[in-house]
Amino acid sequence: MADIRILPAVLVNKIAAGEVIERPASIVKELVENALDARAARIDISVEEGGKRLIRVADDGAGMSSEDAALAFRAHATSKIATDEDLFAIETLGFRGEALASVASVSHAHLRTRRADDGAGSGVTASGGELSPPRPCPAAPGTTVTIRDLFFNTPARRKFLRTPNTELGHITEQLVRASVPRPDVSFTLTHNARQVHNLPAVASTTARIADLFAADLADSLLPIVARSGRTGVAGLIGRPAASRASGKWQYFFLNGRFIRDRILAHALREAYRGLIDPGRWPVAFVFLTVDPEEVDVNVHPTKIEVRFRDSQMVHGELLAALRETLNRADLTPAAALDEPSGAIQQDPAAESRRQSLREAIADFFESKSSGASPQGRMSPAPRETSQRSAPQTVHPSPALGTLAAREPSSPVPATAPGQYLTDKPPATVSAAGPKAIQIHNSYIVAADDEGLIIVDQHALHERLIYNDLKGRLGDGKLAGQRLLIPQTFAASPAEADALVSAGETLGRLGIEVAPFGPETLAVQRFPTLLVERGVSPVEFMRQMLDGLAEGWGPDQEQLLEELLSMMACQAAVKAGEKLGEMEIDDLLARRQQADKSSSCPHGRPTTLKLTLPQLAKQFNRS
Ligand SMILES: Nc1ncnc2c1ncn2[C@@H]1O[C@H](COP(=O)(O)OP(=O)(O)O)[C@@H](O)[C@H]1O
Ligand SMILES: [Mg+2]
């Protein structure tokens, strides 16, 4: 092996550039961070050919003296830290002093800068790492850095660059990350002399997001509810209905710096569990503030990853804030009908959904007018649905055991007005006329003060039961019932093992399983609610074993969630089940009291809403 030697500075910088400078967007990131550290109020970014030919970032920040300008391109030249204590109290975006040196080692770079009080500015050129001394030059206060021909001297890396449009996409992403936490700073982005973003300084993050993205995204956001704790949590999160097919719209900022973090992403996913489909991603812009001493930002060359001193605490406090935000919000999605004058819809499934929605609305108004007798406004008059239903009694749907406290074995005459009252009168859905009908034995259409709602009976009931179970579990255990005849089922040794490790969680749910013979187990105790609902213990266990095989657990909290969802789903009324009026009323009343999340534990919506203004629009009244 050859002798050891110290590498020349130019080569050292080139090696560092390999870590920091991956593509034009990396340069944009570094230059914009420098401008923000220099307290710029305005930052103009222009690029040519996706930044491959040229990147220029101009700011109106503090500027540099000519001495500093001479040092700026040198490795480890930084004005931001001085001692090793500083390293653990970073308040600036940059501090490693290697960005400009790295950039200059792989491009033709030029810097022009002036401090407001200086008579003249200074210009410095650095080409492939070769520095020119600073020269006086005219300059506006602030700094402009121009980078030409990125990777001109490292052709292997130039080959990895993509099309200008792809590179521009990465640059735009950097603009989002830099500009969302700083709505007070104005930004522009120009590509090949065409302005692609103009972001004036605005008063709020929401306004900035509206300028960056479509306005409907900004409208779908809920402000995170503030809580006290060691971690400051603020920001905006999307309603479940506005979730996306990718995680691209999830932004976490720590002390103003964009970061990627698995722990934070986990808390976000956790908060939306049950509110959105597992394959969907919530939109989120989350701003965390922690004491700089609580976090190490020097664990990644571009500082995109950090290390928390107490990540469990941050996770817990973030999750709590997100949950509270979602709990407080009214999450009912609006029914999405096409615009009356809108383009022809291509998606046949969507079209047929809209068609059935229109029919539902028509049905609803038809029944409303036929039932609207003068006295009908005062007392619940017999309704068309009940008159039409062939048997005059509605079977006691065991489903509603949890909904209405009534004797499950006494049939309720569906048309006797006095009998509609449960022990607790249902909350009024609307003051006007007959309140609700069930259509196709699956949906409930009802008027409310703002227009009308369409409820998926299964999804809603499932959500209500889920909430109820969650509430009871909070107080301890779910009630279980000892089975007179233990229900046996076959289980492989591996399945039996999985059940044993889930034993404690099962116990909390009121389920007890014991060995019964070779490869046979028996359910001894089963949740009272499920027994009342006629859910088969054996089928339940089968589904659960399938879930365990798919990876439920070993996280017991997650397992508990999965099982609660499963219980709620199996105990809820099914689509296609006929409901009596009392049951309908009861469902709706409980919806008003409890279900603000408007989605079942599996993430499907429980309720769609159509407001009077939307109706007016559909009927061309507006
Ligand atoms: N836009 C700018 N305005 C004022 N000073 C700047 C600007 N860009 C760079 N500098 C100065 O140059 C130094 C080196 O920049 P850089 O290589 O990015 O290292 P770092 O940002 O980690 O300190 C900075 O510490 C700062 O003093
Ligand atoms: Mg920097």
Side-chain angles (χ1 to χ4, degrees):
M1 199 172 273
D3 297 340
I4 294 179
R5 68 184 125 241
I6 303 286
L7 296 176
V10 173
L11 189 49
V12 170
N13 293 343
K14 247 182 166 174
I15 292 169
E19 290 195 310
V20 184
I21 312 299
E22 188 192 346
R23 54 177 7 127
S26 335
I27 296 184
V28 170
K29 170 183 188 283
E30 295 295 337
L31 299 183
V32 168
E33 288 186 354
N34 282 347
L36 290 169
D37 281 344
R39 294 184 302 282
R42 173 181 180 92
I43 300 175
D44 295 303
I45 308 161
S46 32
V47 297
E48 289 174 18
E49 295 208 7
K52 292 196 272 189
R53 192 212 300 273
L54 176 135
I55 301 163
R56 174 175 293 137
V57 174
D59 69 59
D60 63 354
M64 281 174 266
S65 65
S66 77
E67 295 78 30
D68 280 353
L71 289 173
F73 282 120
R74 304 275 288 272
H76 317 301
T78 180
S79 55
K80 297 168 193 174
I81 57 173
T83 67
D84 51 357
E85 279 99 70
D86 293 349
L87 200 50
F88 298 96
I90 299 288
E91 312 245 7
T92 49
L93 293 167
F95 60 87
R96 294 162 61 109
E98 63 186 359
L100 287 185
S102 301
V103 171
S105 72
V106 290
S107 69
H108 301 299
H110 181 79
L111 176 150
R112 177 197 292 262
T113 187
R114 176 158 82 87
R115 295 184 298 190
D117 292 343
D118 290 347
S122 325
V124 179
T125 303
S127 228
E130 299 294 332
L131 274 180
S132 79
R135 254 186 286 267
C137 65
T143 304
T144 300
V145 179
T146 307
I147 306 299
R148 287 194 166 84
D149 303 325
L150 178 61
F151 298 143
F152 79 96
N153 54 354
T154 42
R157 307 197 54 205
R158 198 172 166 88
K159 269 199 278 194
F160 279 99
L161 297 183
R162 299 304 166 100
T163 62
N165 265 339
T166 303
E167 295 301 337
L168 180 64
H170 289 287
I171 290 170
T172 307
E173 180 60 24
Q174 291 300 336
L175 176 68
V176 173
R177 296 176 185 180
S179 68
V180 166
R182 295 301 303 271
D184 58 317
V185 175
S186 68
F187 292 84
T188 61
L189 173 62
T190 305
H191 185 227
N192 294 344
R194 192 176 66 86
Q195 194 172 74
V196 285
H197 273 290
N198 180 12
L199 309 172
V202 283
S204 71
T205 310
T206 317
R208 171 56 50 89
I209 290 170
D211 283 343
L212 271 167
F213 303 99
D216 64 338
L217 182 112
D219 290 345
S220 77
L221 297 173
L222 304 163
I224 294 175
V225 175
R227 301 172 80 256
S228 59
R230 272 159 71 199
T231 315
V233 183
L236 299 152
I237 54 174
R239 292 167 188 281
S243 66
R244 304 287 170 126
S246 100
K248 193 172 167 298
W249 286 269
Q250 294 189 351
Y251 292 88
F252 292 100
F253 301 92
L254 176 72
N255 294 347
R257 181 197 305 280
F258 173 86
I259 59 163
R260 265 195 319 240
D261 188 274
R262 302 211 346 239
I263 293 162
L264 303 182
H266 180 268
L268 184 65
R269 202 168 42 244
E270 204 53 30
Y272 279 81
R273 190 209 288 284
L275 295 178
I276 60 176
D277 227 61
R280 308 275 299 172
W281 304 72
V283 176
F285 299 88
V286 177
F287 300 89
L288 298 170
T289 330
V290 302
D291 187 328
E293 307 229 334
E294 289 286 326
V295 60
D296 188 352
V297 294
N298 188 29
V299 295
H300 189 277
T302 67
K303 307 166 220 106
I304 196 166
E305 282 165 21
V306 301
R307 191 181 296 135
F308 291 104
R309 223 181 244 190
D310 187 350
S311 56
Q312 273 319 102
M313 186 262 298
V314 176
H315 180 274
E317 296 194 340
L318 172 60
L319 181 57
L322 296 174
R323 281 197 171 140
E324 194 162 336
T325 306
L326 290 166
N327 272 340
R328 284 203 201 170
D330 177 0
L331 301 176
T332 310
L337 297 182
D338 49 349
E339 299 290 310
S341 56
I344 296 156
Q345 293 294 324
Q346 306 277 335
D347 175 0
E351 183 46 45
S352 90
R353 270 198 304 280
R354 272 189 293 274
Q355 186 55 36
S356 42
L357 212 52
R358 281 193 212 101
E359 281 164 13
I361 295 163
D363 261 19
F364 175 71
F365 281 108
E366 195 184 299
S367 90
K368 198 172 164 149
S369 54
S370 66
S373 60
Q375 112 272 21
R377 292 181 180 274
M378 307 305 295
S379 62
R383 269 180 259 171
E384 226 197 318
T385 38
S386 352
Q387 288 164 347
R388 262 207 307 245
S389 60
Q392 282 296 299
T393 55
V394 173
H395 285 294
S397 166
L400 300 173
T402 53
L403 281 176
R406 61 180 166 79
E407 267 316 21
S409 51
S410 61
V412 180
T415 53
Q419 303 251 345
Y420 296 138
L421 297 174
T422 51
D423 57 339
K424 212 189 301 159
T428 325
V429 174
S430 166
K435 292 190 299 280
I437 60 163
Q438 185 191 30
I439 58 167
H440 302 290
N441 287 348
S442 296
Y443 299 99
I444 297 165
V445 182
D448 75 357
D449 294 337
E450 291 163 50
L452 64 86
I453 56 171
I454 303 159
V455 167
D456 177 329
Q457 66 188 38
H458 170 73
L460 174 61
H461 195 201
E462 185 181 356
R463 163 56 58 175
L464 293 170
I465 295 175
Y466 173 88
N467 285 352
D468 185 51
L469 291 175
K470 269 289 251 219
R472 290 177 201 217
L473 254 186
D475 313 334
K477 280 169 77 166
L478 289 189
Q481 194 168 308
R482 182 154 288 282
L483 301 180
L484 289 177
I485 305 159
Q487 306 275 308
T488 59
F489 59 101
S492 70
E495 287 176 329
D497 273 0
L499 277 184
V500 169
S501 21
E504 202 188 315
T505 302
L506 290 181
R508 286 183 70 189
L509 295 174
I511 301 174
E512 230 177 78
V513 180
F516 203 80
E519 312 229 330
T520 306
L521 299 172
V523 183
Q524 311 267 16
R525 180 184 286 276
F526 204 53
T528 312
L529 167 76
L530 298 190
V531 174
E532 283 173 356
R533 265 307 274 148
V535 172
S536 145
V538 169
E539 219 157 277
F540 185 91
M541 294 317 293
R542 269 279 42 110
Q543 250 195 52
M544 172 172 170
L545 287 174
D546 289 348
L548 287 170
E550 274 168 32
W552 293 0
D555 176 345
Q556 295 298 302
E557 278 306 303
Q558 185 204 346
L559 175 64
L560 190 72
E561 283 291 331
E562 298 286 3
L563 290 175
L564 284 177
S565 301
M566 202 170 106
M567 289 168 78
C569 181
Q570 297 198 354
V573 293
K574 303 285 175 288
E577 251 179 79
K578 174 100 194 124
L579 299 183
E581 292 196 23
M582 188 167 96
E583 294 163 329
I584 293 172
D585 286 351
D586 201 57
L587 256 181
L588 292 178
R590 285 181 199 241
R591 171 183 178 274
Q592 283 211 319
Q593 287 160 10
D595 179 60
K596 280 198 290 184
S597 60
S598 287
S599 60
C600 78
H602 293 123
R604 285 184 295 114
T606 61
T607 305
L608 294 178
K609 190 176 221 156
L610 201 54
T611 63
L612 290 173
Q614 284 175 315
L615 280 176
K617 204 164 170 187
Q618 290 293 319
F619 290 114
N620 291 334
R621 276 168 172 270
S622 56

